[in-house]
Every structure is written in structure tokens, then in C-alpha cells.
Amino acid sequence: MATAAAALIARARRDIQHHFFSEDAVRADRAVAFTPSNAIEGRQFKRMLERGTIRREGADRYWIDVVAYDVDLQQRHRRVRIVLILLVIVLAGALIALEVSGGHTITR
């Protein structure tokens, strides 16, 4: 279930990013309108606004701050990398502990 939710969130982010890049809305003077197509996209859009990845220009026009988007992407990748490294360390520790304790042997 968590994997499906993560996939939906990632797709919403990609769709939002694609909208702005395809419209070349990468500067304030090129801002465009945006309406989220579903609730997940709406939440991601709000998050991107709060993080400064998407900038508001006027009442209903927005643009993507490419530098902020790149920084946000790098931070997300760094967090994932840290989690994966910790997971490898925990699994390695568990395997070592299992081996030291005699392991699980099958005798016939």
C-alpha cells in the first residue's frame, strides 16, 4: 500500500513539473495558470509552493523555480540514500549477529 501511495505522489510531482517545463514557465515573466487534476496533485502542488519550488506570480499564475527544484530534488535523493545506507547497515548487522550466534542450521 505504501508503495502505491509513493508511486502516486511521485507521479503527481512529475505531472506538475512537466506542466511548468512544457509551458516554459521557468521565470516570473513566463508564469502560467495551474489547476491540480486531483487531490494528490493538489497536495503536492501546495507542498511545492510552501517549499519555494513553485512560485506565485499574481493572483493565479505560477512558475517553477528551477534552482529551488534542483535543490529540493537533491535533498530528497540524499534522504533516500541515507535511509538505504542505514537499511544495509542494519541488515548486515543482523546477518553478522545471526552468524555469531550459531546461525540457523538444518540437520537431518
Side-chain angles (χ1 to χ4, degrees):
M1 187 69 163
T3 304
L8 290 172
I9 290 168
R11 180 177 179 167
R13 264 195 234 115
R14 279 193 312 271
D15 289 348
I16 293 166
Q17 167 247 279
H18 175 73
H19 173 79
F20 290 100
F21 284 135
S22 67
E23 296 289 328
D24 199 29
V26 295
R27 298 187 329 224
D29 63 333
R30 294 185 179 168
V32 295
F34 179 79
T35 304
S37 62
N38 57 52
I40 294 171
E41 201 171 271
R43 283 191 298 273
Q44 289 307 306
F45 181 71
K46 183 180 175 191
R47 254 191 204 142
M48 292 172 88
L49 270 170
E50 291 168 353
R51 289 182 176 170
T53 304
I54 300 290
R55 307 281 181 156
R56 182 185 306 267
E57 185 66 26
D60 63 345
R61 300 180 68 73
Y62 305 91
W63 58 283
I64 190 165
D65 184 331
V66 178
V67 174
Y69 177 79
D70 189 47
V71 168
D72 185 60
L73 189 62
Q74 289 175 5
Q75 288 173 346
R76 282 190 287 123
H77 286 170
R78 187 175 65 236
R79 285 190 300 266
V80 168
R81 190 172 31 251
I82 289 169
V83 168
L84 290 175
I85 289 169
L86 290 173
L87 182 62
V88 167
I89 290 169
V90 167
L91 288 174
L95 287 173
I96 291 169
L98 184 63
E99 186 63 32
V100 168
S101 69
H104 231 293
T105 57
I106 299 175
T107 56
R108 289 186 183 220

